[in-house]
Amino acid sequence: MRVVLGVCAVVVTAAALAAGGSARKPLPGRKPHVPRQLAGQKVVLSAIARQAAKGHLTPAQASTDRAAVNRTALLIRNVAASRRAPLESQLAQAARIAPRLTGPRAVAIFGQLEANDDWFANHSPPAPQTDITDADGVVYRYFSGTGFEFHPLANFAALNAAVASNNTALTTRLANALTARGVPAAGGGTGWEYYFDYGGRAPWLSGFAQAVAAQAFAKAATLDTADATALHAEAHAAYRAIPGRLDENTRFGPWIKLYGFSSAIVLNADLQTGISLANYAKLTSDTQAAALATSFKESAARALPSFNNGFWSYYELPSDPSPQSYQEYVIQLLQSLSKSDPRFAAGATQFAGFESQPPAFKLAGAAPGAVTFWVSKPSTVHVDALGGQRSFGVSGGWHTVSWALPSRAGIFPVTIHATDWAGNNASVAALPIVRVELPPKKKPKHKPARKTTAVAAAALPPLTVGAGLDQPTEASLARQQGFADVRMTLLWPAGATSPDAGAVAALNRLPAGTNLVLALYATALPTDSAGRTELAQYAAALAQQVHDLRDLVLDPAPAAATAAAYEAALADVFDAVKLVATSVHVDGALDGTQSPKATLAAIAAAFRATGRQTQLMDELAFHPAPAAGKNLWALADLPKLIAALDTGFGTTAQPGASLPLIIDQVGVASTIPSSQLPLYASPTVGATGVDEPTQAADYVAALKAVSCRATVVSLLFDRLVDAAAPGAQTGLFYVDETPKESLQAVVQAATNAQGAARCSSSPPSTSTGAGSTPTGVTPPTGTSPGAGSTPVTKPVVPPAPAAHAKATSVAAANELVFPAHVSIATPPSVHVGCTSACLYLVTMQRAGDGTPVLARRGTIAHAGAATVHLPKSPIKAGSYRFSVWIVGQANPGPVTITRSDAVAAS
């Protein structure tokens, strides 16, 4: 939750407002109809009665609270649906709190209920974050779907504002009202609770709100001197709830918990807490609070660089960008702190500079009909191409936009424009989209019909391709590259029966429609019935709470010795999940490096021994060994796996040879270039693995190996983005999410492999024209890389830089060698060099009208050169020109174009 400090002054009177609609008169001779109590209404009324019987509520309080509950129930029956929903939510909240109802909670809950009744009796739901206040000045903030909520932080901000305006009457009323709502905290102190679920189950506390509460009560004591002693006591009670409970140790040092149930590292919360607690400590002479405030500030000073990506600030680590209002709030806090602590001055200046700094761009290779770009900061992006515009909001990072190629041949420019959240604008031109002229169709020769096998004739089910993620934020990157699936791992804490709310919230932040394959990792596999029941309950709760969960894989894959325990646990998980979420697939796991044949036979034997009459798993996630060997199954051993499934399960309720397979964790580590090594944990990381073109070729080969396997439904690469630790360089992006040279070929191969016609699709080869040629290649003097015999070279003079040239770089072409003559029987080549990392597009166009007939695009990763072989495609004899389009990858300047003289083709 991002806490909004602004308060909208919408005041609702305390007078009860009648529900809309007229009452029906009872028919003569009939008793009036008395509606049955709502379920939540009955629960709450019973709780009020219990509290009154214990003396925790006075008779007058109990009567008032009952009236509020009954009025809510009456309104639910009479108001329009849009007003009914928040009232139902409010009654449900009260019912959830009812078993733990106390006097202070009753004041808060039923005061909140009255505020909602007063509003929704005559008003529709307002805009989110609308604030209303009651007669005492207590603030209730509107949240869509839940209604107006008692909001501690907004209330203590209001109390601070009342003191600042010297309004003694309001200060006294509001301070007393908030005191009445303070709940004694376990371990001492007083907490002001939030009563709605927001990533954590209510009621919950905010360390940030507690710090502001301590400050506000201490400041109120300076204005309301008659109650100064009591207000100082409330301030101290608010502070006491923080140490050891609402703070945490992080890698930066002590940090305040914005949410008591979460370890989120939020910058504005820690900065404001340091300021508020220092203010409280000064007013009350609390030395312990002063020391804690200092430690929070020191942690924030150490963490400040981590919240600065050079272009924008992060709201929360590791990479959640700040809304502009929060960035401006942080700037104010840093400026305030910098007056007494120079460590915050540079951060204040840098963050303020982001407000006027335009977005920066990078470009990467993309398939024909697509553009891949990186933008430095949160922006609204417009991409103009093919006579239209695509517009969308981004938080920064890499994005790919694709178009269907037009029917007519031509070269179509692409322009990207970004406006950041502060209103700064920047534009960049990308390589154009090219539609080449298609060769005339040959008339088909009449041949006798060939017989096809049943396998060839049958339509294969769609194949999906995905990758493993370390963070939910990487899911957007996966979607942009066209990966249909993402894989994540969640550790099961032994004995737990429900997942952590923070973990569920993180998984539910995946983009809508994501196909999530979640590995539920049980480090210690339960071996008794009680342990298996706990694991199964945990899995069922996940299936209910995680929105886009498609596959739940029980990990880790067993060995032969643990196969029986694994089979029993998988069976319990399967049954528990299917009771609550029939659409979620429950999958087993098999590791091709752990004697897979013996392990699978042991699982099947355990299954048959149980006499189970229903299946054990929906799919099997198979992790192939990197290479064939004794007691190993690699990707080439899929026929052995399918045969073993048939042998083990063929006569049981569990599908065998027909069992759908997920090919899981396909990984090939690449070497890391020296420019990227500082991001990794050790310089030795860059010395292991294969080069990036080889990584691409291995991944493309894996896709080809499974594309015609009818039972393979998904292939998951080991990871999308590298991790810094040694051995975790199997990704298609470096640690900073800069794409590797292997990305383009793999994405294209995945695109071809996915879909119903997957078996007929041939993934592209990683030719030199696809950007895989090593840099620094220079043809021998006097020879041509094309079909001609004499090279034709043209010097290139980069155009004058644009007005924003300080922020851009022009990747000029050099070492250009065009063919002097083209043979219509041999694909032509052009030798291209760049002065810095660049993207290139080489086109062959008819000299007469400029119509493109051949085109190839690719990447040169560093200053260097490549020989670009144009595709093998029929061309007619005639006169043609070659064009080379070059644009820089980082901070790209204008696209440079160099054209050859007319060249004859014969």
Side-chain angles (χ1 to χ4, degrees):
M1 179 180 64
R2 290 170 177 167
V3 182
V4 180
L5 292 178
V7 178
C8 300
V10 180
V11 180
V12 174
T13 64
L17 301 177
S22 58
R24 292 183 177 179
K25 294 181 179 179
L27 295 174
R30 292 189 182 180
K31 293 182 179 180
H33 171 66
V34 179
R36 295 179 59 187
Q37 288 183 338
L38 300 177
Q41 177 187 12
K42 185 175 181 180
V43 170
V44 179
L45 291 176
S46 297
I48 293 172
R50 287 195 303 272
Q51 291 298 309
K54 294 177 181 178
H56 296 161
L57 297 177
T58 67
Q61 287 174 319
S63 177
T64 300
D65 294 344
R66 281 194 294 270
V69 173
N70 290 332
R71 184 176 177 223
T72 303
L74 181 62
L75 286 168
I76 288 171
R77 294 186 178 92
N78 287 277
V79 298
S82 63
R83 291 187 266 165
R84 182 187 312 129
L87 290 170
E88 289 175 334
S89 174
Q90 288 293 310
L91 189 57
Q93 282 183 40
R96 287 196 295 271
I97 297 296
R100 291 176 284 178
L101 192 65
T102 62
R105 284 174 175 159
V107 176
I109 285 291
F110 299 122
Q112 177 176 304
L113 211 55
E114 288 180 356
N116 279 274
D117 289 347
D118 289 348
W119 178 273
F120 291 110
N122 287 302
H123 298 87
S124 295
Q129 306 297 326
T130 295
D131 288 350
I132 60 176
T133 57
D134 65 13
D136 292 326
V138 175
V139 179
Y140 300 95
R141 178 161 292 164
Y142 181 73
F143 290 85
S144 296
T146 67
F148 287 98
E149 303 289 346
F150 173 68
H151 198 286
L153 184 57
N155 275 285
F156 289 112
L159 183 57
N160 271 329
V163 175
S165 64
N166 289 316
N167 189 333
T168 303
L170 176 57
T171 297
T172 300
R173 289 200 311 275
L174 183 53
N176 289 338
L178 293 175
T179 297
R181 289 164 170 78
V183 178
T190 302
W192 281 266
E193 297 174 335
Y194 290 81
Y195 293 106
F196 59 106
D197 295 347
Y198 206 89
R201 295 289 291 178
W204 53 273
L205 296 175
S206 165
F208 182 12
Q210 291 294 127
V212 178
Q215 176 193 36
F217 278 125
K219 290 174 72 174
T222 66
L223 188 63
D224 186 0
T225 55
D227 289 333
T229 300
L231 290 170
H232 273 164
E234 288 299 324
H236 182 62
Y239 164 71
R240 281 189 63 197
I242 296 174
R245 284 167 286 173
L246 294 174
D247 56 352
E248 58 181 329
N249 289 319
T250 70
R251 63 184 186 274
F252 307 111
W255 204 274
I256 195 68
K257 287 189 174 185
L258 178 55
Y259 320 112
F261 52 80
S262 170
S263 296
I265 301 178
V266 177
L267 180 58
N268 72 73
D270 201 67
L271 293 172
Q272 181 65 71
T273 296
I275 292 172
S276 295
L277 284 186
N279 191 202
Y280 154 77
K282 183 177 180 180
L283 292 171
T284 61
S285 301
D286 190 327
T287 56
Q288 289 183 343
L292 185 58
T294 298
S295 69
F296 284 145
K297 293 179 195 177
E298 290 175 348
S299 298
R302 284 189 288 268
L304 199 54
S306 297
F307 285 92
N308 181 353
N309 70 3
F311 303 95
W312 201 252
S313 69
Y314 291 135
Y315 170 84
E316 176 186 344
L317 294 183
S319 59
D320 187 10
S322 297
Q324 188 182 359
S325 60
Y326 276 92
Q327 180 160 281
E328 292 172 351
Y329 176 38
V330 165
I331 292 169
Q332 294 171 6
L333 294 172
L334 292 173
Q335 289 172 340
S336 175
L337 286 165
S338 65
K339 294 175 183 178
S340 58
D341 191 334
R343 292 178 300 177
F344 296 101
T349 300
Q350 285 184 310
F351 284 17
F354 297 158
E355 301 285 293
S356 58
Q357 181 185 73
F361 290 98
K362 295 179 187 177
L363 297 172
V371 60
T372 295
F373 65 92
W374 173 89
V375 64
S376 62
K377 57 201 306 193
S379 304
T380 299
V381 175
H382 307 286
V383 183
D384 294 286
L386 299 173
Q389 185 178 87
R390 303 273 184 89
S391 300
F392 45 90
V394 300
S395 60
W398 286 97
H399 306 275
T400 297
V401 183
S402 302
W403 295 264
L405 290 174
S407 57
R408 63 186 177 92
I411 299 175
F412 307 93
V414 177
T415 303
I416 308 167
H417 180 86
T419 302
D420 70 16
W421 289 350
N424 302 297
N425 298 288
S427 296
V428 66
L431 291 178
I433 291 172
V434 179
R435 174 65 184 227
V436 298
E437 184 177 68
L438 298 178
K441 294 183 178 180
K442 295 182 179 180
K443 293 182 179 180
K445 296 180 180 180
H446 296 287
K447 294 182 178 180
R450 295 176 61 188
K451 294 182 179 181
T452 57
T453 64
V455 173
L460 296 180
L463 173 72
T464 58
V465 180
L469 310 182
D470 287 331
Q471 300 291 337
T473 52
E474 295 171 4
S476 295
L477 189 63
R479 292 283 293 274
Q480 291 153 16
Q481 304 308 320
F483 290 124
D485 298 346
V486 299
R487 184 190 196 275
M488 298 194 72
T489 299
L490 182 63
L491 182 67
W492 173 59
T497 58
S498 61
D500 176 73
V504 172
L507 292 171
N508 282 333
R509 284 197 291 268
L510 295 172
T514 298
N515 292 330
L516 173 61
V517 179
L518 184 63
L520 178 56
Y521 197 95
T523 304
L525 195 69
T527 56
D528 60 339
S529 177
R532 289 194 297 270
T533 298
E534 291 166 345
L535 174 61
Q537 290 174 346
Y538 188 94
L542 275 175
Q544 287 179 299
Q545 297 175 33
V546 178
H547 303 156
D548 291 310
L549 181 59
R550 189 195 67 183
D551 286 85
L552 187 68
V553 182
L554 182 58
D555 257 3
T562 59
Y566 181 85
E567 186 277 338
L570 181 60
D572 285 358
V573 168
F574 184 95
D575 293 342
V577 169
K578 293 303 179 180
L579 282 175
V580 299
T582 56
S583 62
V584 173
H585 298 158
V586 179
D587 305 337
L590 183 68
D591 190 341
T593 67
Q594 295 189 37
S595 301
K597 183 176 181 180
T599 300
L600 188 58
I603 294 173
F607 177 76
R608 291 194 302 272
T610 65
R612 184 179 171 94
Q613 297 302 304
T614 57
Q615 70 187 95
L616 176 68
M617 52 186 160
D618 291 306
E619 297 173 358
L620 179 66
F622 171 60
H623 171 40
K630 185 178 180 181
N631 294 325
L632 302 176
W633 279 349
L635 202 54
D637 294 310
L638 280 178
K640 296 180 182 178
L641 168 60
I642 294 169
L645 285 168
D646 188 47
T647 300
F649 296 106
T651 58
T652 71
Q654 170 62 45
S658 63
L659 181 67
L661 302 175
I662 297 174
I663 307 304
D664 197 12
Q665 303 176 68
V666 175
V668 177
S670 71
T671 55
I672 304 301
S674 58
S675 60
Q676 289 284 336
L677 271 180
L679 299 173
Y680 290 79
S682 167
T684 60
V685 167
T688 58
V690 301
D691 60 29
E692 291 172 18
T694 302
Q695 182 193 47
D698 288 346
Y699 282 165
V700 170
L703 286 165
K704 293 180 68 174
V706 303
S707 61
C708 291
R709 292 284 175 190
T711 57
V712 175
V713 295
S714 178
L715 184 142
L716 300 173
F717 295 113
D718 182 48
R719 56 175 55 248
L720 182 68
V721 180
D722 280 358
Q729 286 68 58
T730 56
L732 296 167
F733 290 84
Y734 300 118
V735 170
D736 64 352
E737 297 187 2
T738 299
K740 294 183 181 179
E741 189 179 344
S742 51
L743 175 69
Q744 184 179 350
V746 176
V747 167
Q748 186 61 58
T751 301
N752 292 346
Q754 293 181 109
R758 71 196 214 190
C759 190
S760 61
S761 301
S762 298
S765 63
T766 53
S767 67
T768 54
S772 59
T773 301
T775 59
V777 177
T778 305
T781 303
T783 62
S784 168
S789 57
T790 307
V792 179
T793 63
K794 297 191 70 174
V796 177
V797 180
H804 60 289
K806 287 185 179 180
T808 63
S809 61
V810 179
N814 62 8
E815 302 182 20
L816 279 181
V817 183
F818 295 112
H821 180 266
V822 174
S823 168
I824 61 175
T826 305
S829 301
V830 175
H831 189 74
V832 178
C834 288
T835 57
S836 61
C838 72
L839 308 179
Y840 63 78
L841 168 66
V842 179
T843 60
M844 180 178 175
Q845 300 159 246
R846 285 205 300 261
D849 58 11
T851 300
V853 296
L854 298 175
R856 176 80 78 185
R857 62 183 65 228
T859 304
I860 298 178
H862 309 283
T867 298
V868 181
H869 300 278
L870 291 173
K872 184 177 181 180
S873 182
I875 57 174
K876 297 179 180 179
S879 181
Y880 295 90
R881 294 182 189 274
F882 292 92
S883 297
V884 175
W885 315 66
I886 297 289
V887 67
Q889 291 188 49
N891 297 319
V895 177
T896 63
I897 310 170
T898 306
R899 295 184 173 88
S900 73
D901 295 329
V903 177
S906 59

